[in-house]
Amino acid sequence: MDNQVRRAVYPGSFDPPTLGHLDIIQRAAQLFDELIVAIAVNSQKQPLFSLEERAEMLRECCTHLPNVRVATLEGLLVRFAQQAGACAIVRGLRAVSDFEYEFQMATMNRQLAPEVDTCFLMTHQQFAFLSSSMVKEVARLGGAVDAFVPPNVAHRLRQRFAPETAGNFHP
Ligand code: PNS
């Protein structure tokens, strides 16, 4: 592992990225020299957005963060982290209900790669209720999602669920 550069991986499905994800990305980017946002390929899930679409949305959201890059993650997260020379995995914790799953994952990852630590950031209170699944549900049912996702993501959701109202997106 490169001891000079403190590099971390922030993995997730990001289907789609929310303001909660962006908050974690911005804070992790301040804590580490480099942050790789890794979009996981999950054959068990049928995502709304393709990997390419999710990568594009995340890149658009991170243009102001020069030490953040977006990648796709196939296979084991810890192997990806090792190959990237990362010393940490970053995850956001919203509520106690997240803890069980996150604890299991962090413990398994530590067994597999003890040198890659998991670092939890508490989600800001205003995003504690937020999830990609809920955002998709609201958008699918015609609700406004502008308070929950970055503007470029809100535009993509409108294009997907209500193309007649989407118009053009100007960042
Ligand atoms: O945003 P999500 O869906 O909660 O992210 C879950 C993710 C991508 C972090 C998890 O499924 C993952 O790490 N996938 C990569 C495959 C892997 O390493 N699985 C073992 C984890 S213990």
Side-chain angles (χ1 to χ4, degrees), residues 10-25 37-39 47-62 70 127 130-136 139 145-157:
Y10 176 36
S13 302
F14 305 110
D15 185 42
T18 66
L19 290 177
H21 292 130
L22 194 55
D23 169 52
I24 298 290
I25 291 172
V37 179
I39 310 167
L48 175 64
F49 292 105
S50 70
L51 270 179
E52 293 72 25
E53 288 173 311
R54 284 178 274 163
E56 222 172 278
M57 284 187 271
L58 280 164
R59 287 197 185 102
E60 287 164 0
C61 296
C62 295
V70 177
F127 305 128
L130 195 51
S131 72
S132 295
S133 320
M134 267 196 195
V135 166
K136 281 184 281 193
V145 292
D146 306 77
F148 314 129
V149 295
N152 63 321
V153 177
H155 180 69
R156 295 247 186 178
L157 284 163

Side-chain angles (χ1 to χ4, degrees), residues 3 11 26 42 46 48 54 61 72 78 85 98 123 130 134 153:
N3 288 322
Q26 289 175 154
N42 186 345
Q46 185 54 50
L48 175 64
R54 284 178 274 163
C61 296
T72 52
V78 286
D98 279 347
T123 301
L130 195 51
M134 267 196 195
V153 177

Side-chain angles (χ1 to χ4, degrees), residues 93-162:
L93 267 186
R94 287 169 301 190
V96 180
S97 51
D98 279 347
F99 182 77
E100 183 81 32
Y101 170 62
E102 295 296 336
F103 178 73
Q104 278 182 3
M105 215 159 49
T107 308
M108 173 60 82
N109 285 336
R110 181 186 288 148
Q111 292 286 323
L112 296 170
E115 77 282 13
V116 183
D117 222 331
T118 299
C119 168
F120 292 108
L121 293 182
M122 291 299 300
T123 301
H124 265 300
Q125 247 166 288
Q126 67 186 114
F127 305 128
F129 63 95
L130 195 51
S131 72
S132 295
S133 320
M134 267 196 195
V135 166
K136 281 184 281 193
E137 174 89 355
V138 171
R140 187 175 285 123
L141 297 173
V145 292
D146 306 77
F148 314 129
V149 295
N152 63 321
V153 177
H155 180 69
R156 295 247 186 178
L157 284 163
R158 273 193 292 274
Q159 275 183 328
R160 188 58 58 97
F161 292 118

